[in-house]
Amino acid sequence: MKNLLSAVFIFGVLFTACSKKESPGFGAEQVMKVHYDTTAIDSFSNGAVSVDIARKIRMSSPQYLDSVKQAKKRLEEKKKLREEVEKENKKKPEEEKKKADAEKKQKASETSPAATPKAE
């Protein structure tokens, strides 16, 4: 009887240990995308350049420097245009005030009795 119980126990352990385990499915499989800081496949190979050094090289290229100069020129032109528009906007109210003052003076001079000649 003891042999029978131990045999059943051993078969039970083997049956559960050797049973086919099911995979968790598509949800458990995750693709890990590793981000390396080198542009070459192997960081020790010839021509391997770190991202920081590649950025410095690109920034020192003539095309990049030219584009930076053009961007600065555009910003300066925009600033100049804004300043001119602001100056014009400031001049308009001043001119309107001068016109209004001139019209008031003309009306005042027309309506005053000393300025108008009397016909006798």
Side-chain angles (χ1 to χ4, degrees), residues 66-82:
D66 290 342
S67 66
V68 169
K69 287 178 185 177
Q70 290 176 355
K72 286 182 181 179
K73 286 181 183 178
R74 288 182 196 142
L75 288 174
E76 289 175 3
E77 289 176 0
K78 286 181 182 180
K79 286 180 183 178
K80 287 179 183 178
L81 289 174
R82 287 180 189 161

Side-chain angles (χ1 to χ4, degrees), residues 1-2 12 22 28 31 36 41 45 59 63 69-71 89 97 101 118:
M1 185 74 172
K2 291 183 180 181
E22 293 188 25
V31 178
Y36 294 105
I41 294 172
S45 67
M59 290 178 75
Q63 292 175 342
K69 287 178 185 177
Q70 290 176 355
N89 289 339
K97 287 179 183 178
D101 290 340
K118 295 183 180 178

Side-chain angles (χ1 to χ4, degrees), residues 51-63:
V51 174
D52 296 329
I53 294 172
R55 183 173 179 261
K56 288 179 183 177
I57 292 170
R58 273 186 252 120
M59 290 178 75
S60 65
S61 70
Q63 292 175 342

Side-chain angles (χ1 to χ4, degrees), residues 87-105:
K87 286 179 182 178
E88 290 177 6
N89 289 339
K90 289 180 181 178
K91 287 180 182 178
K92 286 181 183 179
E94 292 174 2
E95 291 175 0
E96 290 175 2
K97 287 179 183 178
K98 288 179 182 178
K99 287 180 183 178
D101 290 340
E103 290 176 2
K104 286 180 184 178
K105 288 179 182 177

Side-chain angles (χ1 to χ4, degrees), residues 4-18:
L4 183 63
L5 286 175
S6 62
V8 170
F9 178 73
I10 291 173
F11 282 122
V13 170
L14 288 175
F15 182 74
T16 57
C18 296

Side-chain angles (χ1 to χ4, degrees), residues 14-41:
L14 288 175
F15 182 74
T16 57
C18 296
S19 65
K20 183 178 179 183
K21 297 179 182 176
E22 293 188 25
S23 64
F26 292 110
E29 294 179 19
Q30 295 179 355
V31 178
M32 294 292 289
K33 200 171 202 180
V34 181
H35 178 68
Y36 294 105
D37 65 343
T38 57
T39 55
I41 294 172

